[in-house]
Amino acid sequence: DIQMTQSPSSLSASVGDRVTITCRASQDISNSLAWYQQKPGKVPKLLIYAASTSQSGVPSRFGGSGSGTDFTLAISSLQPEDVGSYYCQKYDSDPPTFGQGTKVEIK
Amino acid sequence: EVQLVESGGGLVQPGGSLRLSCAASGFIFSDYSMHWVRQAPGKGLEYVSAIGGYDGRTYYADSVKGRFTISRDNSKNTLYLQMGSLRAEDMAVYYCAREMGGWKYYDFWGQGTLVTVSS
């Protein structure tokens, strides 16, 4: 099975900072990658699919990029409401696998 | 409005069984493949199982294959997960999720139901 590795596992940044989270696949997955946000105590929410397509209603400060094996989720200007965990997920083939998550906190 | 409402979670002894349900509304249920995803306390997300909308084709993570059975009743707009031979490592919040666009990622999630495996 293809493994998904996220880094960092956690980060702390100031409001207004640009934040980037990376996700690496153990094999080429083309652009079959999604990103989710899970706020504390809440249900996961789809942010990005097809590596770079934003889901309807997602703030424009969230952006995804990459293809093949290396992907990035960027938050252009971190806001207090962005606190939570972020997960990448590959979906090119079974099983659809998640990364281990990145916890984002405000400094 | 799309809604997914899970039920059936609870406390079960190791080796026991439990059936989860997910009631769907606000969309044509039979048009969508549906999934179960779980999250152990303080841990990340883990795919569990999936079922096709019309063909009912099923898929399972290796960790649950042979112990869990996914099914659906399109006449009742309900998804099920029959869990058997439960282990401590199956303890988690179980979410049902709707597959988006024919690809195995999820645009809507239920609120989750907690399964606790303990003696």
Coordinates of all heavy atoms in Angstrom, one line a residue, chain A residues 17-83:
Chain A
D17 N 1.0 34.8 9.8 CA 2.1 34.1 9.2 C 1.6 33.2 8.1 O 0.5 32.8 8.0 CB 2.8 33.2 10.2 CG 3.7 33.9 11.2 OD1 3.9 35.2 11.0 OD2 4.2 33.3 12.1
R18 N 2.6 33.0 7.1 CA 2.3 32.0 6.1 C 2.8 30.7 6.6 O 3.9 30.5 7.2 CB 3.1 32.3 4.8 CG 2.9 31.3 3.7 CD 3.7 31.7 2.5 NE 3.7 30.7 1.4 CZ 2.7 30.5 0.6 NH1 1.6 31.3 0.6 NH2 2.7 29.5 -0.3
V19 N 1.9 29.7 6.5 CA 2.2 28.3 7.0 C 2.1 27.3 5.9 O 1.2 27.4 5.0 CB 1.1 28.0 8.1 CG1 1.1 26.5 8.5 CG2 1.3 28.8 9.3
T20 N 3.0 26.4 5.9 CA 3.0 25.3 4.9 C 3.1 24.0 5.5 O 3.9 23.8 6.5 CB 4.1 25.5 3.8 OG1 5.4 25.5 4.5 CG2 3.9 26.8 3.0
I21 N 2.4 23.0 5.0 CA 2.3 21.6 5.5 C 2.6 20.8 4.2 O 2.0 21.0 3.2 CB 1.0 21.3 6.1 CG1 0.7 22.1 7.3 CG2 1.0 19.8 6.4 CD1 -0.8 22.0 7.8
T22 N 3.5 19.8 4.4 CA 3.9 19.0 3.2 C 3.4 17.6 3.4 O 3.2 17.1 4.6 CB 5.4 19.0 3.0 OG1 6.0 18.4 4.1 CG2 5.9 20.4 2.7
C23 N 3.1 16.9 2.3 CA 2.6 15.6 2.3 C 3.4 14.8 1.2 O 3.4 15.3 0.1 CB 1.1 15.5 2.1 SG 0.3 13.9 2.1
R24 N 4.0 13.7 1.6 CA 4.7 13.0 0.6 C 4.2 11.6 0.4 O 3.9 10.9 1.5 CB 6.2 12.9 1.0 CG 7.1 12.0 0.1 CD 8.5 12.3 0.3 NE 8.9 13.6 -0.3 CZ 10.1 14.1 -0.2 NH1 11.1 13.5 0.5 NH2 10.4 15.3 -0.7
A25 N 3.9 11.1 -0.8 CA 3.4 9.8 -1.1 C 4.6 8.9 -1.4 O 5.6 9.3 -2.0 CB 2.5 9.8 -2.2
S26 N 4.5 7.6 -1.0 CA 5.6 6.7 -1.2 C 5.6 6.2 -2.7 O 6.6 5.6 -3.1 CB 5.4 5.5 -0.3 OG 4.2 4.8 -0.5
Q27 N 4.6 6.5 -3.5 CA 4.6 6.3 -4.9 C 3.8 7.4 -5.6 O 3.1 8.1 -5.0 CB 3.9 4.9 -5.2 CG 4.5 3.7 -4.7 CD 3.7 2.5 -5.0 OE1 3.1 2.3 -6.1 NE2 3.6 1.5 -4.1
D28 N 4.0 7.5 -6.9 CA 3.3 8.5 -7.7 C 1.8 8.3 -7.6 O 1.3 7.3 -7.9 CB 3.8 8.4 -9.2 CG 3.3 9.5 -10.0 OD1 2.3 10.2 -9.7 OD2 3.9 9.8 -11.1
I29 N 1.1 9.4 -7.2 CA -0.3 9.4 -7.1 C -1.0 10.4 -8.0 O -2.1 10.8 -7.8 CB -0.9 9.5 -5.6 CG1 -0.4 10.9 -5.1 CG2 -0.4 8.4 -4.8 CD1 -1.1 11.2 -3.8
S30 N -0.2 10.9 -9.0 CA -0.6 12.0 -9.9 C -1.1 13.2 -9.0 O -0.4 13.7 -8.2 CB -1.7 11.4 -10.8 OG -2.1 12.4 -11.7
N31 N -2.4 13.6 -9.3 CA -2.9 14.7 -8.4 C -4.0 14.2 -7.5 O -4.9 15.0 -7.1 CB -3.3 15.9 -9.3 CG -4.6 15.5 -10.1 OD1 -4.9 14.3 -10.4 ND2 -5.3 16.5 -10.5
S32 N -4.1 12.9 -7.2 CA -5.2 12.4 -6.5 C -5.0 12.6 -5.0 O -4.8 11.6 -4.2 CB -5.3 10.9 -6.8 OG -5.6 10.7 -8.2
L33 N -5.0 13.8 -4.6 CA -4.8 14.2 -3.2 C -5.8 15.2 -2.7 O -6.1 16.2 -3.4 CB -3.4 14.8 -3.0 CG -3.0 14.9 -1.5 CD1 -2.2 13.7 -1.0 CD2 -2.4 16.2 -1.2
A34 N -6.3 14.9 -1.5 CA -7.2 15.8 -0.8 C -6.6 16.3 0.5 O -5.8 15.6 1.1 CB -8.5 15.1 -0.5
W35 N -7.1 17.5 1.0 CA -6.7 18.0 2.3 C -7.9 18.3 3.1 O -8.9 18.8 2.6 CB -5.9 19.3 2.1 CG -4.5 19.2 1.6 CD1 -4.1 19.4 0.3 CD2 -3.3 18.9 2.3 NE1 -2.8 19.2 0.2 CE2 -2.3 18.9 1.4 CE3 -3.0 18.6 3.7 CZ2 -0.9 18.7 1.8 CZ3 -1.7 18.4 4.0 CH2 -0.7 18.4 3.1
Y36 N -7.9 17.9 4.4 CA -9.0 18.2 5.3 C -8.5 19.0 6.5 O -7.3 18.8 6.9 CB -9.5 16.8 5.9 CG -10.1 15.9 4.8 CD1 -9.3 15.0 4.2 CD2 -11.4 15.9 4.4 CE1 -9.7 14.2 3.2 CE2 -11.9 15.1 3.4 CZ -11.1 14.2 2.8 OH -11.5 13.4 1.9
Q37 N -9.4 19.7 7.1 CA -9.2 20.5 8.3 C -10.1 19.9 9.4 O -11.3 19.6 9.1 CB -9.5 21.9 8.1 CG -9.4 22.8 9.4 CD -10.1 24.1 9.1 OE1 -11.3 24.2 8.8 NE2 -9.4 25.2 9.3
Q38 N -9.5 19.6 10.5 CA -10.4 19.2 11.7 C -10.1 20.1 12.8 O -9.1 20.0 13.5 CB -10.1 17.7 12.0 CG -11.1 17.2 13.1 CD -10.9 15.7 13.4 OE1 -9.8 15.2 13.3 NE2 -11.9 15.0 13.8
K39 N -11.1 20.9 13.1 CA -11.0 21.8 14.3 C -11.2 21.0 15.5 O -11.9 19.9 15.5 CB -12.0 22.9 14.2 CG -11.7 23.9 13.0 CD -12.6 25.1 13.0 CE -12.3 26.0 11.8 NZ -13.2 27.2 11.7
P40 N -10.7 21.4 16.7 CA -10.8 20.6 17.9 C -12.3 20.3 18.2 O -13.2 21.2 18.3 CB -10.3 21.6 19.0 CG -9.3 22.4 18.2 CD -9.9 22.6 16.9
G41 N -12.5 19.0 18.4 CA -13.9 18.5 18.8 C -14.9 18.5 17.6 O -16.0 18.2 17.9
K42 N -14.4 18.8 16.4 CA -15.3 18.9 15.3 C -15.0 17.8 14.2 O -14.1 17.0 14.3 CB -15.1 20.2 14.6 CG -15.5 21.4 15.5 CD -16.9 21.4 16.0 CE -17.2 22.6 16.8 NZ -18.6 22.6 17.3
V43 N -15.9 17.7 13.3 CA -15.8 16.8 12.2 C -14.8 17.3 11.1 O -14.7 18.5 10.9 CB -17.2 16.6 11.6 CG1 -17.2 15.7 10.3 CG2 -18.2 16.1 12.6
P44 N -14.1 16.4 10.5 CA -13.2 16.8 9.4 C -14.0 17.5 8.3 O -15.2 17.2 8.0 CB -12.6 15.5 8.8 CG -12.7 14.6 10.0 CD -14.0 14.9 10.7
K45 N -13.3 18.5 7.7 CA -13.9 19.3 6.6 C -13.0 19.3 5.4 O -11.8 19.5 5.5 CB -14.1 20.7 7.1 CG -14.5 21.7 6.0 CD -14.5 23.2 6.6 CE -14.8 24.2 5.5 NZ -14.7 25.6 6.0
L46 N -13.6 19.0 4.2 CA -12.8 19.0 3.0 C -12.4 20.4 2.6 O -13.2 21.3 2.5 CB -13.6 18.4 1.9 CG -12.9 18.3 0.5 CD1 -11.7 17.4 0.5 CD2 -14.0 17.9 -0.6
L47 N -11.0 20.6 2.4 CA -10.5 21.9 2.0 C -10.2 21.9 0.5 O -10.5 22.8 -0.2 CB -9.3 22.3 2.8 CG -9.3 22.5 4.2 CD1 -8.0 22.8 4.8 CD2 -10.3 23.7 4.6
I48 N -9.4 20.9 0.1 CA -8.8 20.9 -1.2 C -9.0 19.4 -1.8 O -8.8 18.5 -1.0 CB -7.3 21.2 -1.1 CG1 -7.0 22.5 -0.5 CG2 -6.6 21.1 -2.5 CD1 -7.3 23.7 -1.4
Y49 N -9.2 19.3 -3.1 CA -9.2 18.0 -3.8 C -8.4 18.2 -5.1 O -8.2 19.3 -5.5 CB -10.6 17.4 -4.0 CG -11.5 18.3 -4.8 CD1 -11.6 18.1 -6.2 CD2 -12.3 19.3 -4.2 CE1 -12.5 18.9 -6.9 CE2 -13.1 20.0 -4.9 CZ -13.3 19.8 -6.3 OH -14.1 20.6 -7.0
A50 N -8.1 17.1 -5.7 CA -7.3 17.1 -6.9 C -6.0 18.0 -6.7 O -5.6 18.7 -7.6 CB -8.1 17.6 -8.1
A51 N -5.5 17.9 -5.6 CA -4.2 18.5 -5.1 C -4.3 20.1 -5.0 O -3.7 20.6 -4.1 CB -3.1 18.2 -6.1
S52 N -5.1 20.7 -5.8 CA -5.1 22.2 -5.9 C -6.5 22.8 -6.1 O -6.5 24.0 -6.1 CB -4.2 22.7 -7.0 OG -4.6 22.2 -8.2
T53 N -7.5 22.0 -6.1 CA -8.9 22.6 -6.3 C -9.5 22.8 -5.0 O -9.7 21.9 -4.2 CB -9.7 21.7 -7.2 OG1 -9.1 21.4 -8.4 CG2 -11.1 22.3 -7.4
S54 N -9.9 24.1 -4.7 CA -10.6 24.4 -3.4 C -12.0 24.0 -3.4 O -12.8 24.2 -4.4 CB -10.5 25.9 -3.2 OG -9.1 26.3 -3.0
Q55 N -12.4 23.4 -2.3 CA -13.8 23.0 -2.2 C -14.6 24.4 -2.0 O -14.1 25.4 -1.5 CB -14.0 22.1 -0.9 CG -15.4 21.8 -0.5 CD -16.2 20.9 -1.5 OE1 -15.9 20.9 -2.7 NE2 -17.2 20.2 -1.0
S56 N -15.9 24.3 -2.4 CA -16.7 25.5 -2.3 C -16.8 26.0 -0.9 O -17.0 25.2 0.0 CB -18.1 25.1 -2.8 OG -19.0 26.2 -2.7
G57 N -16.6 27.3 -0.8 CA -16.8 27.9 0.6 C -15.5 28.0 1.4 O -15.5 28.6 2.4
V58 N -14.4 27.4 0.9 CA -13.2 27.4 1.6 C -12.5 28.8 1.4 O -12.4 29.3 0.3 CB -12.2 26.3 1.1 CG1 -10.9 26.4 1.7 CG2 -12.9 25.0 1.5
P59 N -12.0 29.4 2.5 CA -11.4 30.7 2.4 C -10.2 30.7 1.4 O -9.5 29.7 1.3 CB -11.0 31.1 3.8 CG -11.9 30.3 4.7 CD -12.2 29.0 3.9
S60 N -10.0 31.8 0.7 CA -9.0 31.9 -0.3 C -7.6 31.8 0.3 O -6.6 31.6 -0.5 CB -9.1 33.1 -1.2 OG -9.1 34.3 -0.3
R61 N -7.4 31.9 1.6 CA -6.1 31.9 2.1 C -5.5 30.4 2.1 O -4.3 30.2 2.4 CB -6.0 32.4 3.6 CG -6.9 31.7 4.6 CD -6.8 32.4 5.9 NE -7.6 31.7 7.0 CZ -8.9 31.9 7.1 NH1 -9.5 32.8 6.4 NH2 -9.5 31.3 8.1
F62 N -6.4 29.4 1.9 CA -6.0 28.1 1.8 C -5.7 27.7 0.3 O -6.5 28.0 -0.5 CB -7.0 27.1 2.3 CG -7.3 27.2 3.8 CD1 -8.3 28.0 4.3 CD2 -6.5 26.5 4.7 CE1 -8.5 28.1 5.7 CE2 -6.7 26.5 6.0 CZ -7.7 27.4 6.6
G63 N -4.5 27.1 0.1 CA -4.1 26.7 -1.2 C -3.3 25.4 -1.3 O -2.5 25.2 -0.4
G64 N -3.6 24.6 -2.3 CA -2.9 23.4 -2.4 C -2.1 23.3 -3.7 O -2.4 24.0 -4.7
S65 N -0.9 22.6 -3.7 CA -0.1 22.5 -4.8 C 0.6 21.1 -4.8 O 0.6 20.4 -3.8 CB 0.9 23.6 -4.9 OG 1.8 23.6 -3.8
G66 N 1.2 20.8 -6.0 CA 2.0 19.6 -6.1 C 1.4 18.5 -7.0 O 0.2 18.6 -7.4
S67 N 2.1 17.5 -7.3 CA 1.7 16.4 -8.1 C 2.8 15.3 -8.0 O 3.9 15.6 -7.6 CB 1.4 16.8 -9.5 OG 2.6 17.1 -10.2
G68 N 2.4 14.1 -8.3 CA 3.3 13.0 -8.3 C 3.4 12.5 -6.8 O 2.6 11.7 -6.4
T69 N 4.5 12.8 -6.1 CA 4.7 12.4 -4.8 C 4.8 13.5 -3.7 O 4.7 13.2 -2.5 CB 6.0 11.5 -4.7 OG1 7.1 12.4 -5.1 CG2 5.9 10.3 -5.6
D70 N 4.9 14.7 -4.1 CA 5.1 15.8 -3.2 C 4.0 16.9 -3.3 O 3.8 17.4 -4.4 CB 6.5 16.4 -3.4 CG 7.6 15.5 -3.0 OD1 7.5 14.8 -2.0 OD2 8.6 15.4 -3.8
F71 N 3.4 17.2 -2.2 CA 2.3 18.1 -2.1 C 2.4 19.0 -1.0 O 3.1 18.7 0.0 CB 1.0 17.3 -2.0 CG 0.8 16.2 -3.1 CD1 1.3 15.0 -2.9 CD2 0.1 16.6 -4.2 CE1 1.2 14.0 -4.0 CE2 -0.1 15.7 -5.2 CZ 0.4 14.4 -5.1
T72 N 1.8 20.2 -1.1 CA 1.8 21.2 -0.1 C 0.5 21.8 0.1 O -0.3 22.1 -0.8 CB 2.8 22.3 -0.5 OG1 4.1 21.8 -0.7 CG2 2.9 23.4 0.6
L73 N 0.1 22.1 1.4 CA -1.0 22.9 1.8 C -0.4 24.2 2.4 O 0.4 24.1 3.3 CB -1.9 22.2 2.8 CG -3.1 23.0 3.3 CD1 -4.1 23.3 2.3 CD2 -3.7 22.3 4.5
A74 N -0.9 25.3 1.9 CA -0.4 26.6 2.4 C -1.6 27.4 2.9 O -2.6 27.4 2.3 CB 0.3 27.4 1.3
I75 N -1.3 28.0 4.0 CA -2.2 29.0 4.6 C -1.5 30.3 4.5 O -0.5 30.5 5.1 CB -2.6 28.7 6.1 CG1 -3.1 27.2 6.2 CG2 -3.7 29.7 6.5 CD1 -3.4 26.8 7.6
S76 N -2.0 31.2 3.7 CA -1.3 32.4 3.3 C -1.1 33.4 4.5 O -0.1 34.1 4.6 CB -1.9 33.1 2.1 OG -3.2 33.5 2.4
S77 N -2.2 33.4 5.3 CA -2.2 34.3 6.5 C -3.0 33.7 7.6 O -4.2 33.7 7.6 CB -2.8 35.7 6.1 OG -2.9 36.5 7.2
L78 N -2.2 33.1 8.5 CA -2.9 32.2 9.6 C -3.8 33.1 10.4 O -3.5 34.2 10.9 CB -1.8 31.6 10.4 CG -2.2 30.6 11.5 CD1 -2.8 29.3 10.8 CD2 -1.1 30.3 12.4
Q79 N -5.0 32.5 10.6 CA -6.0 33.1 11.5 C -6.3 32.3 12.7 O -6.1 31.1 12.7 CB -7.3 33.3 10.6 CG -7.1 34.2 9.4 CD -6.6 35.6 9.8 OE1 -7.2 36.3 10.6 NE2 -5.5 36.0 9.2
P80 N -6.8 32.9 13.8 CA -7.1 32.1 15.0 C -8.1 30.9 14.7 O -7.9 29.9 15.3 CB -7.7 33.2 15.9 CG -7.2 34.5 15.4 CD -7.0 34.3 14.0
E81 N -9.0 31.1 13.8 CA -10.0 30.0 13.5 C -9.4 28.9 12.7 O -10.0 27.9 12.5 CB -11.2 30.6 12.8 CG -10.9 31.2 11.5 CD -10.7 32.8 11.6 OE1 -10.2 33.2 12.6 OE2 -11.1 33.4 10.6
D82 N -8.1 29.0 12.3 CA -7.4 27.9 11.6 C -6.8 26.9 12.5 O -6.2 25.9 12.0 CB -6.4 28.5 10.6 CG -6.9 29.5 9.6 OD1 -8.2 29.4 9.3 OD2 -6.2 30.3 9.1
V83 N -6.8 27.1 13.8 CA -6.3 26.1 14.7 C -7.0 24.8 14.6 O -8.2 24.7 14.5 CB -6.5 26.7 16.2 CG1 -6.2 25.6 17.2 CG2 -5.5 27.8 16.4

